[in-house]
Each structure stands twice: as C-alpha cells, then as structure tokens.
Amino acid sequence: MKAFLVEHDRRTRRTELITFDDVAEAMAVYGEREAEREAHIEVVLLFAESEGDLRNTHSRYFYGLTELVRRGWESDPYPAVDAAAG
Amino acid sequence: MYDRYRGEFQPSLREVSDAVKHATRTAPSSRLKTLESVALKLSRQTIRLSQVDDIAGCRIVVANLNAQERTVEALGRSLTVHSVVDRRNVPSFGYRAMHVIGISSVGYPVEVQIRTRVQDMWANLSESAASQDLAIKYGGGPPEIRDILDRLSEIGATLDELQATHLSAEAAWTGTAGLEHGLIAEALRQELAESNQSVVQAFTRFEQLVESLSRMMGR
C-alpha cells in the first residue's frame, strides 16, 4: 500500500501527485501542505496499491468530465468480487 | 490539532482497508478526511468532531448493483459493522451508494463506500463540479448545474437497474446453451437484445447530459 499526496488546483484543474512508501512521512507532509495551502488548492492524502487504482476511484483529480465517464463505462471493475462473495 | 486527531485513525484505516481487500478481492483506495471537508460537515450539521464517522474512509467501485449487494454481504461477514447506509433509492443530494461503517479492533469507525461504476461516475462528476462551487455538494449551486446533476442521478439509477435487467437476461440466455433454436431461445435472444439496447440508450442520454455539464462548466 502506497500513500499518494494529491494537490489539485481547482482553478487550473492541474493535479500534482507525490508518492510515499513511508506512511509517517506522508502524514507529516500532508499536515504541513494542508496548513500552508491556498484556498483554491485541494490537498488530500490517499492510499492505494497503485496509482492506477487511485485513478480509477478518484478520477475527478485526473480527467475531464467526459473522459472520466468514458473511462468509467469502459472499465470492468473487479469481477472477482462475485467469486469472493459467492 | 485536527491533524493529530486525524492521524490516530490511520492504523484503523489500514486495518479495515486490508480486511476489505481480502474479503472482496478488490483493491480499495482510502483516505483521511481533509480539514476543509470536516469543517464544512461540522458547519452544516449539529454534531461534534467525535461523532464524525468518516474521518477514515475507504472506497470500492464494483461493476453493478448485484456486485454491490454481494460486496456489502461479504463485508458483513468480515468486518465488525456499526451500520449500513443505503443511499441507492434515497439519494443524498443526488449521491447514491452503499456505505458500511466498520469498526476497527481498537474501536475507530471507518466508512467503506461501495459504489457501482455508474454511481462512482456521478460522484466524481458532482465532486468535480463542487470543486468550483462547494455549495453544489449539499444541493446548492447554480440552478442549471443542479438540474443536470439531479437528472444525471436519476438516469444513473435507471442505468444501474437496466444493467441488472440485462445481466438477468444474459444469465437466462447462457442457461439455454445448446438450445440455439426454438421459441424459448428466440424469446430470450430478443429479450437480451432489447435489454442491451435499453442500456445503450440510457448511457447515451447520460453521456449527452455530461457533455452539456462540461460545456456549462467550461471543461
């Protein structure tokens, strides 16, 4: 599990992503960046196995509206859940 | 102070996220709630910080309504569950999903959001709009954007239902393997084609509204 610090500019819609292997370090940087941020910058710490997984569950940070819908529709998320729950 | 409080939830978030992963064989993502989000929540509701049960949150996206229900059942067998919130038919300002509030081994709540891909698309659209105007998240914002989001929420729910119908038709058709001919096979083939067409038509409407929203927001 990796930690991903997301800094998303609401005005430009640009997203910067910093990846951490050390959760404690990620948490420290998260607190610092959040305290220093300007109002139009979202700062959020997310955890996922990969950046790819993150892009699937938090697509708004990475894609425009029509693209996130297209990607969502074309995905086939986790058919294995049927086996797990069966 | 909130940063320190939030940090206490991280081990529980990891514990519940791992349990979700193993119970459902998915790869959930998770997060600790931002100061901005929790402040907004506290300003809108008469609750204390200690009563906020989604400081730690985990998210899974599944294919359809059937998978969503089976995932919730699987979590019920694997987690200590405080509560299950079903917002599919009673949406919160258009937001639909199922939430399971799990309790970690040390007593911290972790909210697990289980969304279909359609519900997740809507949520991301809404949050994207809300990043421009936070009032949108709680039912406010420009009326024209609100109207589109509300219509998208309804069409999204219909789309999920139509997909469930299509899956049933598909299962029935699969069950007739070897019966390529005959009235029953033909009826099932027709039903499958019609349900597929309904899904395609609903998604086309969904896409068209998203394009309108995109133009409206200048994206």
Side-chain angles (χ1 to χ4, degrees):
Chain A
M1 181 78 70
K2 290 184 167 64
F4 298 88
L5 186 69
V6 171
E7 294 190 336
H8 178 72
D9 189 320
R10 291 169 174 149
R11 292 177 189 166
T12 65
R13 298 188 296 278
R14 286 195 58 183
T15 295
E16 304 239 349
L17 200 64
I18 306 173
T19 305
F20 295 86
D21 289 318
D22 185 294
V23 171
E25 182 188 0
M27 296 285 290
V29 175
Y30 180 27
E32 288 168 10
R33 297 283 181 105
E34 190 180 50
E36 294 166 357
R37 74 178 187 96
E38 295 178 72
H40 66 279
I41 305 288
E42 274 185 71
V43 177
V44 59
L45 186 63
L46 301 172
F47 302 91
E49 291 293 329
S50 68
E51 184 179 329
D53 288 340
L54 204 65
R55 285 175 176 264
N56 287 337
T57 57
H58 291 78
S59 54
R60 72 172 179 96
Y61 290 124
F62 304 103
Y63 308 110
L65 300 187
T66 53
E67 189 177 2
L68 79 85
V69 167
R70 180 188 62 77
R71 287 178 53 85
W73 190 246
E74 292 174 358
S75 70
D76 186 14
Y78 311 125
V81 71
D82 291 350
Chain B
M1 187 182 84
Y2 173 68
D3 189 36
R4 193 161 52 243
Y5 177 70
R6 177 174 60 191
E8 294 175 15
F9 285 78
Q10 200 283 326
S12 292
L13 180 61
R14 178 64 192 256
E15 175 194 319
V16 170
S17 185
D18 283 348
V20 167
K21 177 182 165 185
H22 290 114
T24 63
R25 294 188 207 160
T26 60
S29 63
S30 54
R31 63 97 183 102
L32 294 167
K33 205 171 185 72
T34 66
L35 175 59
E36 182 182 38
S37 292
V38 80
L40 187 62
K41 188 163 194 165
L42 291 173
S43 74
R44 294 189 57 85
Q45 301 174 25
T46 52
I47 58 173
R48 296 188 297 272
L49 180 61
S50 60
Q51 294 173 301
V52 177
D53 57 13
D54 63 342
I55 300 288
C58 186
R59 180 180 300 164
I60 312 170
V61 179
V62 298
N64 50 57
L65 292 174
N66 295 344
Q68 186 177 43
E69 289 178 6
R70 287 197 292 273
T71 299
V72 172
E73 287 169 11
L75 292 177
R77 293 190 293 271
S78 307
L79 300 178
T80 300
V81 175
H82 174 269
S83 56
V84 178
V85 181
D86 186 345
R87 292 206 171 102
R88 292 174 300 173
N89 296 319
V90 188
S92 172
F93 306 112
Y95 174 75
R96 300 173 196 264
M98 292 187 80
H99 289 184
V100 173
I101 308 296
I103 304 295
S104 73
S105 60
V106 292
Y108 282 82
V110 178
E111 177 186 84
V112 184
Q113 300 173 350
I114 305 101
R115 299 174 179 171
T116 66
R117 58 181 175 169
V118 175
Q119 291 163 356
D120 189 62
M121 280 192 265
W122 186 92
N124 276 286
L125 290 169
S126 174
E127 293 209 19
S128 193
S131 72
Q132 302 291 302
D133 184 343
L134 286 175
I136 289 173
K137 188 168 182 178
Y138 292 102
E144 59 275 15
I145 290 181
R146 186 75 254 152
D147 177 63
I148 287 188
L149 287 173
D150 289 344
R151 287 160 67 192
L152 280 167
S153 176
E154 291 295 327
I155 293 174
T158 299
L159 189 48
D160 266 334
E161 292 288 343
L162 288 171
Q163 283 193 89
T165 301
H166 180 68
L167 284 171
S168 295
E170 207 168 53
W173 172 247
T174 303
T176 64
L179 288 175
E180 290 87 8
H181 305 290
L183 288 175
I184 294 175
E186 184 53 35
L188 288 172
R189 200 194 332 261
Q190 180 71 13
E191 186 179 339
L192 191 61
E194 287 172 358
S195 69
N196 186 60
Q197 185 66 9
S198 295
V199 169
V200 170
Q201 286 173 347
F203 182 64
T204 300
R205 285 200 301 275
F206 192 93
E207 267 193 314
Q208 288 168 345
L209 276 175
V210 171
E211 285 167 13
S212 296
L213 181 64
S214 182
R215 282 195 299 274
M216 212 172 277
M217 292 175 57
R219 300 192 181 185

